[in-house]
Amino acid sequence: MPDTFELIASSTVGSGGAASIDFTSIPSTYTDLVLKLSARATSTNIDLKMNFNSITTGYSRRNLNGNGSTVTSSSASDAWIGPIDGSGQAANIFGNTEIYIPNYAGSTNKSYSIDSIVEDNASLAYAIFIAGLWSNTAAITSISLSALSGSLTFAQYSTAYLYGVKNA
Amino acid sequence: MPNPTRIEINCETGVESIIELTDAEVAELTYQAELAAEKKAEEEAQAEANAVAKAALLDRLGITADEAKLLLA
């Protein structure tokens, strides 16, 4: 990792699983945030969302999806951050997601970029790129990762690493 | 049976807590799951109806799906 990245906090899901992973009391001393997620769900429900400050409104996104043969694009007013592997995919495979949140502590609306990869070591592979926007001028002090709809359980050994980035 | 749990990491103190969801939170998740299932069923039914209509149209026109794509290119 670059010298300007500092690990703020991390979590590894234990044997009991977790319905959500929540980072709270995020310090405002960095310029940007980077969240790296390696995760698997114990269910077939695999779509995740990210909420800031426990607020569920004001999110929108535009995304590009590729599966190796087809590229599609879509947009929606939700906080979707992509899928992870679940019980419908090969065992022991974890999806990877990286979320970049610039100027998270500023007083303007919050944009974020996401790249998300899901594959099952067989025939399924998705690469998803998301440009997201949270139309809220509040500084981000917490980040919650959970199911986009309904519920899912993060499987054991899923990890989330939150880094702060300090510009020179 | 205990409720599902969530992980909360306090970035200021570094303390990680495993917190059981409240009954209200569980009820909300269950409700959202039912809504999502209903929506998915509706979307699947619509997709099936669209596929049937498309097949009927292609049959009426006497062309294949690839030929239709060529026309629309």
Side-chain angles (χ1 to χ4, degrees), chain A residues 28 41 51 57 60 81 87 94 109 112 130 143 148 158-159 164-165:
Chain A
S28 62
N51 286 144
T57 58
S60 58
I81 63 169
S87 58
F94 287 67
N109 289 338
Y112 48 91
I130 300 173
I143 299 173
L148 176 65
S158 295
T159 60
V165 183

Side-chain angles (χ1 to χ4, degrees), chain A residues 11 18-20 22 24 149-150, chain B residues 5-9 11 16 29 33:
Chain A
S11 179
S20 71
D22 307 327
T24 64
S149 63
Chain B
T5 56
R6 63 183 178 89
I7 295 174
E8 182 177 298
I9 308 104
C11 297
E16 178 173 307
L29 288 177

Side-chain angles (χ1 to χ4, degrees), chain B residues 32-50:
Chain B
Q32 293 296 333
E34 290 169 357
L35 283 182
E38 284 177 12
K39 183 180 175 187
K40 184 177 178 184
E42 285 174 12
E43 289 172 351
E44 287 176 349
Q46 184 63 50
E48 174 66 23
N50 289 347

Side-chain angles (χ1 to χ4, degrees), chain B residues 7-27:
Chain B
I7 295 174
E8 182 177 298
I9 308 104
N10 186 310
C11 297
E12 195 172 10
T13 63
V15 172
E16 178 173 307
S17 306
I18 298 176
I19 300 168
E20 187 174 336
L21 299 182
T22 64
D23 290 343
E25 288 171 327
V26 173

Side-chain angles (χ1 to χ4, degrees), chain A residues 74-162:
Chain A
S74 62
S75 60
S77 298
D78 62 34
W80 184 60
I81 63 169
I84 55 177
D85 285 85
S87 58
Q89 285 75 54
N92 303 317
I93 304 293
F94 287 67
N96 295 323
T97 302
E98 178 170 314
I99 305 166
Y100 197 94
I101 312 169
N103 301 311
Y104 71 101
S107 57
T108 58
N109 289 338
K110 306 301 182 291
S111 64
Y112 48 91
S113 62
I114 299 171
D115 63 79
S116 175
I117 303 294
V118 172
E119 59 92 19
D120 71 350
N121 203 30
S123 59
L124 174 73
Y126 288 108
I128 298 169
F129 303 95
I130 300 173
L133 177 67
W134 185 43
S135 297
N136 193 306
T137 58
I140 293 172
T141 57
S142 70
I143 299 173
S144 176
L145 305 172
S146 61
L148 176 65
S149 63
S151 64
L152 64 73
T153 301
F154 286 105
Q156 186 180 18
Y157 306 123
S158 295
T159 60
Y161 287 78
L162 181 65

